[in-house]
Amino acid sequence: MAQKIIKRVTTHVLHEMKLKGEKIAMLTAYDYSSAKILDEAEIDVILVGDSASNVMAGYETTLPITLDNMICYAASVVRGVKRALVVVDLPFGTYQGDSKEALASSIRIMKETGAHAVKLEGGTEIVESVKRILSAGIPVMGHLGLTPQSIYKFGTYAVRAKENEEAEKLIKDALALEEAGCFSVVLEKIPAKLAGELTSKVKIPVIGIGAGPHTDGQVLVLHDMLGITQSFSPRFLRRYHNLHDEIKGAVQSYINDVKRVDFPNEMEQY
Ligand code: KIV
């Protein structure tokens, strides 16, 4: 049977995809031009992740990125997108511990960017914020497992929830997020078996990164999968290109052409 043409990916479409067993493909983007390419390629979900802090701004962690920064990236992404669902990360310090602030930050994102949903890291401790954001009609995606905004609490980027106690807490958190009304949840860097169990336990779509093949979908950071970043090489990362070397080679060719006055040639002038 021919696949239904999706004009616009919504949270409802993602639920239908889970029901049909159709996998969800999600990538990050932070700018208009990349988002336009991803959308033309028919990616299902674009995440304006706070990984922008690392790959766009060059910080070591995701903590320094601000709400204003995220709004600027997200608004650029939305201008390039016609089809994909655009989800934006609430950055560190704009929602933790205060559900009113969480709502105010989410409203700014929705109003100033035109994005379709927000993503928050955490489990039971953010349930009140999730409910308050949802009460304003803003869809929320959760994020459990390795939550990079808590890196200083974890102390390491190692796989999470390998031990029973943490695995049980993760399941409890996922059920709490589903119960609170999250439309989907990201699971980062946890054992594949646990991610599979959780995916069949909840009705909402589960998107994995470093969480094995049994989730409802996958997400990667665009700069990592394109090979623009070089030093970040976790086991879960599949590189689809080596753009770092391609861009460097192109820049070196341009430099050579300029130096030997080969560029511009007769056809490239007025
Ligand atoms: O910020 C981000 O890019 C993310 C993904 C890794 C899920 O949260």
Side-chain angles (χ1 to χ4, degrees):
M1 205 175 75
Q3 275 208 338
K4 201 171 125 193
I5 294 167
I6 300 169
K7 285 203 184 119
R8 181 106 236 181
V9 181
T10 61
T11 57
H12 180 71
V13 167
L14 299 184
H15 278 100
E16 280 184 346
M17 288 171 80
K18 172 157 183 147
L19 287 177
K20 287 190 235 155
E22 200 182 316
K23 296 284 183 184
I24 297 163
M26 171 160 138
L27 280 173
T28 66
Y30 319 96
D31 68 292
Y32 165 81
S33 305
S34 309
K36 195 162 183 294
I37 298 170
L38 265 53
D39 198 53
E40 283 169 13
E42 302 202 339
I43 194 79
D44 299 310
V45 185
I46 294 181
L47 172 67
V48 185
D50 59 357
S51 48
S53 186
N54 311 109
V55 298
M56 297 298 288
Y59 292 115
E60 205 176 308
T61 72
T62 57
L63 276 67
I65 201 98
T66 66
L67 187 57
D68 285 339
N69 294 153
M70 291 301 291
I71 285 173
C72 180
Y73 292 132
S76 311
V77 164
V78 168
R79 286 192 283 272
V81 170
K82 292 196 175 90
R83 179 184 176 277
L85 182 85
V86 179
V87 182
V88 183
D89 263 337
L90 283 192
F92 177 70
T94 65
Y95 64 97
Q96 289 96 341
D98 182 349
S99 63
K100 284 191 182 158
E101 195 186 353
L103 175 60
S105 306
S106 305
I107 287 177
R108 275 202 67 198
I109 286 179
M110 301 300 280
K111 245 186 177 354
E112 296 177 40
T113 74
H116 312 125
V118 296
K119 176 163 84 61
L120 280 69
E121 294 183 5
T124 48
E125 64 282 3
I126 59 150
V127 158
E128 200 190 314
S129 295
V130 170
K131 286 186 180 161
R132 200 180 274 268
I133 296 168
L134 275 162
S135 73
I138 302 171
V140 181
M141 179 180 263
H143 184 156
L144 295 169
L146 177 65
T147 45
Q149 291 179 12
S150 305
I151 189 58
Y152 292 117
K153 184 177 90 184
F154 297 146
T156 154
Y157 286 99
V159 181
R160 305 302 313 175
K162 275 164 82 174
E163 309 301 330
N164 277 347
E165 200 181 323
E166 198 182 337
E168 277 162 24
K169 158 98 171 86
L170 192 118
I171 292 173
K172 210 172 127 203
D173 282 340
L175 293 172
L177 291 178
E178 176 177 44
E179 163 89 23
C182 281
F183 73 88
S184 172
V185 65
V186 167
L187 296 181
E188 181 164 351
K189 222 169 172 188
I190 64 164
K193 187 164 171 284
L194 174 62
E197 280 166 18
L198 232 161
T199 301
S200 39
K201 240 187 184 46
V202 294
K203 293 195 177 65
I204 55 175
V206 174
I207 314 287
I209 173 163
H214 311 301
T215 53
D216 301 304
Q218 299 292 330
V219 56
L220 284 176
V221 169
L222 186 67
H223 290 58
D224 297 336
M225 62 84 79
L226 291 179
I228 296 174
T229 50
Q230 296 270 290
S231 52
F232 184 66
S233 280
R235 189 206 294 198
F236 69 75
L237 174 61
R238 185 178 293 181
R239 283 192 213 285
Y240 287 83
H241 225 298
N242 187 346
L243 267 195
H244 173 277
D245 288 2
E246 289 218 13
I247 294 172
K248 195 168 161 186
V251 171
Q252 283 168 339
S253 300
Y254 167 73
I255 294 168
N256 285 339
D257 290 353
V258 170
K259 303 272 180 202
R260 58 194 176 96
V261 201
D262 177 70
F263 174 78
N265 65 22
E266 276 190 15
M267 300 296 288
E268 292 161 336
Q269 57 184 278
Y270 301 97

